[in-house]
Amino acid sequence: MSGRKPVDGLYELADGVFDFVIEGVIQLNAGIVVGDEAVAVIDTGTTEDDARALLEAVRSVTDLPVRYVINTHHHGDHSFGNWWFLPAVVLGHARCRLRLVGSEGFTHRETMAAHLPMAREQIRAVPLAPPDVTFDGHLDLHLGKNSMRLAYLGRAHTDNDIAIGIDDSGVAFAGDLVESAGPPIVNDGYPAEWGPTLRKLGAAMVQMFVPGHGNVVDGMFVAEQAGAFEELTRVCAQAQTPAEAMHAMPRSVFEVLDFQTAAAVKRYFETVTRPS
Ligand SMILES: [Zn+2]
C-alpha cells in the first residue's frame, strides 16, 4: 500500500473491507472488499461519474481486479454504475435482475431520471447491467480472505433486498434495509414484512451495519427500526382504514419513520391482504 493515497470518503472498517461514500446526485455507501486475488464492490452509484469515483477509490487501495459487483437491490442509485465494472460478474437477487431488464428496467431508469433532474441526461445515458448471476436464498462468494455470504432475508425496502456479511470482519452491508441518513424509504416496500426481515439481519454476529445511506450503525439501531415497523404493523392490523391507523399511530413510530410514516401506512394497506 506504500505510495498510495486513499481518496476522500474512504473508510476501512476491517482489514480489506471499506465503506466508500459516493458523493453523487444521491449520497451512497458503496462497499469495497479486497480478497486474496480479486475485489468485490457492493453497489455502484447512480451515474458514470459515481462509478468512476468508486473505481478510483478501489485503485487507491489495491491493484487487484474487480471481479465481482454485488447489488444490494435494484434501485438505480445502487445499480446504475454496474456497467463501468464489466466484465466483472454482477451478482444479485433473482428479482433484482427482473426489475432491471426489459421494459421494467427502462421504466425504472426513466423514473430515476425524472426524480433527479440535475442528472437527467447522465442517468438516461446509463447502459443497464443487471445481475447476470442470481440467487433466491443465499450465495457464498469465496475470495479467500474476506469471503462473504450474500443473503436474502425477506421482503422489506423492496422485494429483492440482500445483506452481505463479510466473514470474521464484524461488518455487514445492509443496503436500504437500514437507513441512517433519513428514515427508511417505503414506496416500493413491504412494511409488514420489514420488521421480521430486520430481526433476522440483527441476529447476525455483526458489530457494524453499513446502511445504504448514512453513517454506519450498530445492532441497537437495527432493532429500533425493526421495532418501528412491527409497531406500525400492529396498529395497521387493528385499523379499518389508513386514516384510522395514522390517528392511532404512537409517537415512537413517527420518531423512527418520520415523514415516511404516512407512506408506510398507505403501503401497508396496498400490500397486505386483509380478511374482509
Ligand atoms: Zn433503495
Side-chain angles (χ1 to χ4, degrees), residues 141-162:
L141 182 57
H142 301 280
L143 295 179
K145 187 183 88 171
N146 291 327
S147 288
M148 63 187 86
R149 172 159 287 196
L150 288 55
Y152 172 71
L153 304 172
R155 297 196 294 189
H157 170 71
T158 65
D159 64 2
N160 60 88
D161 307 291
I162 60 167

Side-chain angles (χ1 to χ4, degrees), residues 60-127:
S60 78
V61 294
T62 180
D63 288 328
L64 291 172
V66 178
R67 202 168 283 162
Y68 304 99
V69 169
I70 299 163
N71 287 143
T72 57
H73 61 296
H74 73 283
H75 283 157
D77 47 330
H78 300 256
S79 67
F80 284 177
N82 289 357
W83 188 84
W84 285 274
F85 293 88
L86 301 182
V89 174
V90 184
L91 304 165
H93 191 273
R95 284 190 293 270
C96 175
R97 176 179 171 81
L98 284 180
R99 309 251 171 274
L100 288 172
V101 293
S103 62
E104 203 166 337
F106 179 81
T107 302
H108 180 54
R109 192 176 56 191
E110 284 298 303
T111 305
M112 290 287 293
H115 281 148
L116 298 164
M118 68 296 268
R120 183 180 296 147
E121 293 317 313
Q122 256 212 322
I123 291 171
R124 284 197 168 138
V126 164

